[in-house]
Short mmCIF file of all heavy atoms in Angstrom, two decimals:
data_model
loop_
_atom_site.label_atom_id
_atom_site.label_comp_id
_atom_site.label_asym_id
_atom_site.label_seq_id
_atom_site.Cartn_x
_atom_site.Cartn_y
_atom_site.Cartn_z
N HIS G 1280 -71.20 -71.26 27.04
CA HIS G 1280 -72.45 -71.55 26.32
C HIS G 1280 -73.60 -71.11 27.22
O HIS G 1280 -74.61 -71.83 27.44
CB HIS G 1280 -72.56 -73.11 26.19
CG HIS G 1280 -71.61 -73.69 25.22
ND1 HIS G 1280 -71.48 -73.21 23.88
CD2 HIS G 1280 -70.62 -74.62 25.23
CE1 HIS G 1280 -70.53 -73.75 23.18
NE2 HIS G 1280 -69.98 -74.66 24.01
N GLU G 1281 -73.45 -69.85 27.77
CA GLU G 1281 -74.47 -69.38 28.62
C GLU G 1281 -75.84 -69.31 27.99
O GLU G 1281 -76.86 -69.68 28.55
CB GLU G 1281 -74.13 -68.00 29.12
CG GLU G 1281 -72.76 -67.75 29.83
CD GLU G 1281 -71.61 -67.59 28.93
OE1 GLU G 1281 -71.80 -67.64 27.67
OE2 GLU G 1281 -70.53 -67.35 29.41
N LEU G 1282 -75.82 -68.88 26.74
CA LEU G 1282 -77.09 -68.65 26.08
C LEU G 1282 -77.78 -70.06 25.67
O LEU G 1282 -78.93 -70.24 25.75
CB LEU G 1282 -77.02 -67.74 24.92
CG LEU G 1282 -76.58 -66.31 25.32
CD1 LEU G 1282 -76.58 -65.43 24.11
CD2 LEU G 1282 -77.44 -65.75 26.36
N ILE G 1283 -76.87 -71.07 25.40
CA ILE G 1283 -77.44 -72.42 25.16
C ILE G 1283 -78.04 -72.88 26.44
O ILE G 1283 -79.04 -73.64 26.44
CB ILE G 1283 -76.31 -73.35 24.61
CG1 ILE G 1283 -75.88 -72.88 23.24
CG2 ILE G 1283 -76.86 -74.77 24.65
CD1 ILE G 1283 -74.94 -73.90 22.52
N LEU G 1284 -77.39 -72.53 27.59
CA LEU G 1284 -77.92 -72.87 28.91
C LEU G 1284 -79.42 -72.41 29.03
O LEU G 1284 -80.21 -73.16 29.66
CB LEU G 1284 -77.10 -72.16 30.01
CG LEU G 1284 -77.47 -72.44 31.44
CD1 LEU G 1284 -76.98 -73.92 31.85
CD2 LEU G 1284 -76.93 -71.47 32.40
N VAL G 1285 -79.73 -71.39 28.45
CA VAL G 1285 -81.11 -70.83 28.45
C VAL G 1285 -82.10 -71.85 27.81
O VAL G 1285 -83.19 -72.10 28.28
CB VAL G 1285 -81.28 -69.42 27.83
CG1 VAL G 1285 -82.69 -68.98 27.71
CG2 VAL G 1285 -80.48 -68.49 28.65
N ILE G 1286 -81.61 -72.43 26.74
CA ILE G 1286 -82.42 -73.42 25.97
C ILE G 1286 -82.45 -74.75 26.74
O ILE G 1286 -83.52 -75.34 27.03
CB ILE G 1286 -81.87 -73.67 24.58
CG1 ILE G 1286 -81.80 -72.37 23.78
CG2 ILE G 1286 -82.75 -74.67 23.77
CD1 ILE G 1286 -81.06 -72.49 22.45
N VAL G 1287 -81.15 -75.25 27.14
CA VAL G 1287 -81.16 -76.49 27.85
C VAL G 1287 -82.01 -76.42 29.16
O VAL G 1287 -82.80 -77.32 29.43
CB VAL G 1287 -79.76 -76.82 28.39
CG1 VAL G 1287 -79.69 -78.01 29.28
CG2 VAL G 1287 -78.82 -77.05 27.15
N GLY G 1288 -81.85 -75.28 29.86
CA GLY G 1288 -82.61 -75.06 31.13
C GLY G 1288 -83.90 -74.34 30.91
O GLY G 1288 -84.41 -73.65 31.84
N GLY G 1289 -84.54 -74.58 29.76
CA GLY G 1289 -85.76 -73.80 29.41
C GLY G 1289 -86.84 -73.89 30.42
O GLY G 1289 -87.50 -72.84 30.72
N ILE G 1290 -87.06 -75.02 31.01
CA ILE G 1290 -88.16 -75.13 31.97
C ILE G 1290 -87.85 -74.26 33.17
O ILE G 1290 -88.68 -73.65 33.79
CB ILE G 1290 -88.41 -76.69 32.42
CG1 ILE G 1290 -88.96 -77.43 31.24
CG2 ILE G 1290 -89.35 -76.66 33.57
CD1 ILE G 1290 -90.37 -77.22 30.88
N PHE G 1291 -86.61 -74.32 33.65
CA PHE G 1291 -86.19 -73.49 34.78
C PHE G 1291 -86.46 -72.00 34.46
O PHE G 1291 -86.88 -71.22 35.35
CB PHE G 1291 -84.70 -73.67 35.06
CG PHE G 1291 -84.29 -75.09 35.44
CD1 PHE G 1291 -83.28 -75.75 34.82
CD2 PHE G 1291 -84.97 -75.70 36.50
CE1 PHE G 1291 -82.90 -77.04 35.11
CE2 PHE G 1291 -84.60 -77.01 36.87
CZ PHE G 1291 -83.58 -77.67 36.17
N VAL G 1292 -86.19 -71.63 33.21
CA VAL G 1292 -86.43 -70.16 32.79
C VAL G 1292 -87.87 -69.87 32.85
O VAL G 1292 -88.34 -68.85 33.36
CB VAL G 1292 -85.80 -69.96 31.38
CG1 VAL G 1292 -86.14 -68.57 30.88
CG2 VAL G 1292 -84.31 -70.19 31.40
N ILE G 1293 -88.69 -70.79 32.30
CA ILE G 1293 -90.12 -70.57 32.23
C ILE G 1293 -90.71 -70.42 33.68
O ILE G 1293 -91.56 -69.63 33.95
CB ILE G 1293 -90.84 -71.72 31.44
CG1 ILE G 1293 -90.46 -71.70 30.03
CG2 ILE G 1293 -92.41 -71.69 31.65
CD1 ILE G 1293 -90.72 -72.98 29.19
N GLU G 1294 -90.30 -71.39 34.56
CA GLU G 1294 -90.74 -71.29 35.94
C GLU G 1294 -90.40 -70.01 36.59
O GLU G 1294 -91.18 -69.35 37.30
CB GLU G 1294 -90.06 -72.48 36.73
CG GLU G 1294 -90.52 -73.83 36.31
CD GLU G 1294 -91.55 -74.45 37.26
OE1 GLU G 1294 -92.00 -73.76 38.14
OE2 GLU G 1294 -91.85 -75.66 37.06
N THR G 1295 -89.22 -69.51 36.31
CA THR G 1295 -88.78 -68.18 36.97
C THR G 1295 -89.58 -66.98 36.35
O THR G 1295 -90.08 -66.15 37.13
CB THR G 1295 -87.30 -67.96 36.66
OG1 THR G 1295 -86.58 -69.13 37.18
CG2 THR G 1295 -86.75 -66.71 37.35
N ILE G 1296 -89.85 -67.11 35.04
CA ILE G 1296 -90.56 -65.98 34.36
C ILE G 1296 -92.00 -65.97 34.86
O ILE G 1296 -92.62 -64.91 35.16
CB ILE G 1296 -90.51 -66.21 32.82
CG1 ILE G 1296 -89.08 -65.87 32.30
CG2 ILE G 1296 -91.56 -65.32 32.18
CD1 ILE G 1296 -88.88 -66.17 30.82
N SER G 1297 -92.48 -67.24 35.20
CA SER G 1297 -93.92 -67.34 35.72
C SER G 1297 -94.04 -66.57 37.02
O SER G 1297 -94.98 -65.94 37.28
CB SER G 1297 -94.34 -68.73 35.75
OG SER G 1297 -93.75 -69.38 36.86
N VAL G 1298 -93.03 -66.78 37.79
CA VAL G 1298 -93.00 -66.10 39.17
C VAL G 1298 -92.89 -64.62 39.06
O VAL G 1298 -93.61 -63.80 39.63
CB VAL G 1298 -91.89 -66.69 40.03
CG1 VAL G 1298 -91.72 -65.84 41.29
CG2 VAL G 1298 -92.12 -68.08 40.40
N ILE G 1299 -91.98 -64.17 38.19
CA ILE G 1299 -91.75 -62.78 37.92
C ILE G 1299 -93.07 -62.06 37.41
O ILE G 1299 -93.58 -61.00 38.00
CB ILE G 1299 -90.56 -62.44 36.94
CG1 ILE G 1299 -89.25 -62.92 37.54
CG2 ILE G 1299 -90.55 -61.00 36.51
CD1 ILE G 1299 -88.20 -63.05 36.55
N LEU G 1300 -93.73 -62.71 36.48
CA LEU G 1300 -94.94 -62.22 35.94
C LEU G 1300 -96.06 -62.17 36.98
O LEU G 1300 -96.79 -61.12 37.12
CB LEU G 1300 -95.37 -63.00 34.74
CG LEU G 1300 -94.51 -62.92 33.47
CD1 LEU G 1300 -95.07 -63.87 32.37
CD2 LEU G 1300 -94.51 -61.50 32.95
N GLN G 1301 -96.08 -63.27 37.77
CA GLN G 1301 -97.19 -63.36 38.79
C GLN G 1301 -97.01 -62.34 39.87
O GLN G 1301 -98.01 -61.61 40.21
CB GLN G 1301 -97.18 -64.75 39.43
CG GLN G 1301 -98.25 -65.02 40.41
CD GLN G 1301 -99.51 -65.50 39.91
OE1 GLN G 1301 -99.87 -65.17 38.76
NE2 GLN G 1301 -100.23 -66.34 40.63
N VAL G 1302 -95.80 -62.21 40.40
CA VAL G 1302 -95.61 -61.23 41.49
C VAL G 1302 -95.71 -59.88 40.92
O VAL G 1302 -96.39 -58.97 41.56
CB VAL G 1302 -94.14 -61.56 42.11
CG1 VAL G 1302 -93.81 -60.43 43.11
CG2 VAL G 1302 -94.06 -62.85 42.73
N GLY G 1303 -95.27 -59.63 39.78
CA GLY G 1303 -95.33 -58.24 39.17
C GLY G 1303 -96.74 -57.84 38.93
O GLY G 1303 -97.24 -56.78 39.36
N SER G 1304 -97.55 -58.80 38.37
CA SER G 1304 -98.97 -58.51 38.02
C SER G 1304 -99.71 -58.31 39.40
O SER G 1304 -100.46 -57.33 39.55
CB SER G 1304 -99.57 -59.67 37.32
OG SER G 1304 -100.96 -59.65 37.45
N TYR G 1305 -99.41 -59.11 40.39
CA TYR G 1305 -100.16 -59.07 41.67
C TYR G 1305 -99.85 -57.72 42.36
O TYR G 1305 -100.77 -57.11 42.94
CB TYR G 1305 -99.75 -60.25 42.49
CG TYR G 1305 -100.59 -60.40 43.74
CD1 TYR G 1305 -101.93 -60.80 43.62
CD2 TYR G 1305 -100.11 -60.18 44.97
CE1 TYR G 1305 -102.78 -61.09 44.71
CE2 TYR G 1305 -100.96 -60.34 46.16
CZ TYR G 1305 -102.29 -60.70 45.97
OH TYR G 1305 -103.08 -60.88 47.08
N LYS G 1306 -98.63 -57.28 42.30
CA LYS G 1306 -98.18 -56.10 42.92
C LYS G 1306 -98.81 -54.86 42.25
O LYS G 1306 -99.18 -53.88 42.82
CB LYS G 1306 -96.66 -56.01 43.01
CG LYS G 1306 -96.11 -56.93 44.13
CD LYS G 1306 -94.71 -56.53 44.51
CE LYS G 1306 -94.32 -57.29 45.80
NZ LYS G 1306 -92.89 -57.72 45.84
N LEU G 1307 -98.80 -54.93 40.94
CA LEU G 1307 -99.28 -53.75 40.12
C LEU G 1307 -100.71 -53.61 39.96
O LEU G 1307 -101.27 -52.64 40.07
CB LEU G 1307 -98.61 -53.84 38.70
CG LEU G 1307 -97.07 -53.65 38.57
CD1 LEU G 1307 -96.61 -53.91 37.14
CD2 LEU G 1307 -96.73 -52.14 39.00
N THR G 1308 -101.39 -54.84 39.89
CA THR G 1308 -102.80 -54.78 39.54
C THR G 1308 -103.66 -55.53 40.61
O THR G 1308 -104.94 -55.52 40.59
CB THR G 1308 -103.11 -55.46 38.22
OG1 THR G 1308 -102.83 -56.79 38.34
CG2 THR G 1308 -102.26 -54.90 37.09
N GLY G 1309 -102.97 -56.33 41.50
CA GLY G 1309 -103.75 -57.08 42.45
C GLY G 1309 -104.35 -58.31 41.87
O GLY G 1309 -104.97 -59.10 42.45
N LYS G 1310 -104.06 -58.49 40.58
CA LYS G 1310 -104.67 -59.68 39.88
C LYS G 1310 -103.47 -60.73 39.58
O LYS G 1310 -102.35 -60.36 39.31
CB LYS G 1310 -105.23 -59.28 38.49
CG LYS G 1310 -106.59 -58.48 38.66
CD LYS G 1310 -107.30 -58.30 37.32
CE LYS G 1310 -108.66 -57.67 37.44
NZ LYS G 1310 -108.68 -56.52 38.30
N ARG G 1311 -103.88 -61.99 39.59
CA ARG G 1311 -102.93 -63.09 39.28
C ARG G 1311 -103.08 -63.43 37.79
O ARG G 1311 -104.23 -63.55 37.23
CB ARG G 1311 -103.18 -64.29 40.19
CG ARG G 1311 -102.83 -64.10 41.60
CD ARG G 1311 -103.04 -65.39 42.44
NE ARG G 1311 -102.31 -65.32 43.69
CZ ARG G 1311 -102.82 -64.77 44.74
NH1 ARG G 1311 -103.97 -64.20 44.71
NH2 ARG G 1311 -102.05 -64.72 45.88
N ILE G 1312 -101.96 -63.68 37.18
CA ILE G 1312 -101.91 -64.27 35.82
C ILE G 1312 -102.21 -65.79 35.85
O ILE G 1312 -103.04 -66.34 35.06
CB ILE G 1312 -100.62 -63.99 35.07
CG1 ILE G 1312 -100.37 -62.42 34.96
CG2 ILE G 1312 -100.59 -64.57 33.67
CD1 ILE G 1312 -98.97 -62.08 34.54
N PHE G 1313 -101.52 -66.43 36.76
CA PHE G 1313 -101.67 -67.93 36.86
C PHE G 1313 -102.51 -68.19 38.11
O PHE G 1313 -102.61 -67.36 39.08
CB PHE G 1313 -100.32 -68.58 37.03
CG PHE G 1313 -99.35 -68.15 35.91
CD1 PHE G 1313 -98.39 -67.19 36.15
CD2 PHE G 1313 -99.40 -68.81 34.67
CE1 PHE G 1313 -97.48 -66.78 35.13
CE2 PHE G 1313 -98.55 -68.41 33.65
CZ PHE G 1313 -97.59 -67.42 33.90
N ARG G 1314 -103.13 -69.33 38.18
CA ARG G 1314 -103.85 -69.80 39.32
C ARG G 1314 -102.80 -69.70 40.55
O ARG G 1314 -103.20 -69.40 41.71
CB ARG G 1314 -104.30 -71.22 39.24
CG ARG G 1314 -105.42 -71.41 38.21
CD ARG G 1314 -106.80 -70.90 38.73
NE ARG G 1314 -107.87 -71.26 37.87
CZ ARG G 1314 -108.55 -72.42 37.92
NH1 ARG G 1314 -108.20 -73.36 38.79
NH2 ARG G 1314 -109.47 -72.74 37.08
N MET G 1315 -101.54 -70.02 40.28
CA MET G 1315 -100.59 -69.99 41.33
C MET G 1315 -99.21 -70.08 40.58
O MET G 1315 -99.04 -70.83 39.59
CB MET G 1315 -100.71 -71.18 42.38
CG MET G 1315 -99.70 -71.05 43.50
SD MET G 1315 -99.97 -72.36 44.62
CE MET G 1315 -101.51 -71.77 45.43
N ALA G 1316 -98.25 -69.50 41.16
CA ALA G 1316 -96.84 -69.52 40.59
C ALA G 1316 -95.98 -70.31 41.64
O ALA G 1316 -96.25 -70.27 42.86
CB ALA G 1316 -96.30 -68.19 40.37
N PRO G 1317 -94.90 -70.94 41.31
CA PRO G 1317 -94.48 -71.12 39.83
C PRO G 1317 -95.42 -71.94 39.04
O PRO G 1317 -96.38 -72.52 39.61
CB PRO G 1317 -93.14 -71.91 40.05
CG PRO G 1317 -92.70 -71.60 41.42
CD PRO G 1317 -93.98 -71.57 42.24
N ILE G 1318 -95.23 -72.00 37.71
CA ILE G 1318 -96.28 -72.47 36.81
C ILE G 1318 -96.57 -73.92 37.03
O ILE G 1318 -97.69 -74.33 36.71
CB ILE G 1318 -95.72 -72.13 35.34
CG1 ILE G 1318 -96.91 -72.33 34.39
CG2 ILE G 1318 -94.61 -73.12 35.01
CD1 ILE G 1318 -96.66 -71.84 32.99
N HIS G 1319 -95.70 -74.68 37.70
CA HIS G 1319 -96.06 -76.11 37.88
C HIS G 1319 -97.29 -76.22 38.88
O HIS G 1319 -98.14 -77.09 38.72
CB HIS G 1319 -94.94 -76.95 38.51
CG HIS G 1319 -94.24 -76.40 39.70
ND1 HIS G 1319 -93.03 -75.84 39.73
CD2 HIS G 1319 -94.66 -76.41 41.02
CE1 HIS G 1319 -92.70 -75.45 40.99
NE2 HIS G 1319 -93.69 -75.77 41.74
N HIS G 1320 -97.44 -75.23 39.74
CA HIS G 1320 -98.57 -75.18 40.62
C HIS G 1320 -99.85 -74.80 39.89
O HIS G 1320 -100.92 -75.24 40.18
CB HIS G 1320 -98.36 -74.23 41.81
CG HIS G 1320 -97.35 -74.72 42.84
ND1 HIS G 1320 -97.37 -75.97 43.37
CD2 HIS G 1320 -96.32 -74.04 43.39
CE1 HIS G 1320 -96.46 -76.17 44.24
NE2 HIS G 1320 -95.77 -75.01 44.29
N HIS G 1321 -99.64 -73.97 38.91
CA HIS G 1321 -100.83 -73.57 38.10
C HIS G 1321 -101.54 -74.77 37.47
O HIS G 1321 -102.72 -74.92 37.51
CB HIS G 1321 -100.38 -72.58 36.97
CG HIS G 1321 -101.45 -72.30 35.95
ND1 HIS G 1321 -102.45 -71.38 36.24
CD2 HIS G 1321 -101.71 -72.82 34.73
CE1 HIS G 1321 -103.31 -71.34 35.17
NE2 HIS G 1321 -102.89 -72.24 34.24
#
Side-chain angles (χ1 to χ4, degrees):
H1280 291 306
E1281 302 86 354
L1282 297 184
I1283 292 188
L1284 181 77
V1285 170
I1286 304 170
V1287 172
I1290 294 284
F1291 297 126
V1292 174
I1293 292 165
E1294 292 259 5
T1295 305
I1296 291 171
S1297 73
V1298 169
I1299 293 167
L1300 292 175
Q1301 180 87 330
V1302 173
S1304 163
Y1305 191 68
K1306 284 197 167 144
L1307 289 173
T1308 67
K1310 290 188 173 44
R1311 288 184 164 83
I1312 299 169
F1313 306 98
R1314 291 285 187 88
M1315 184 175 286
I1318 196 167
H1319 55 255
H1320 287 315
H1321 170 78

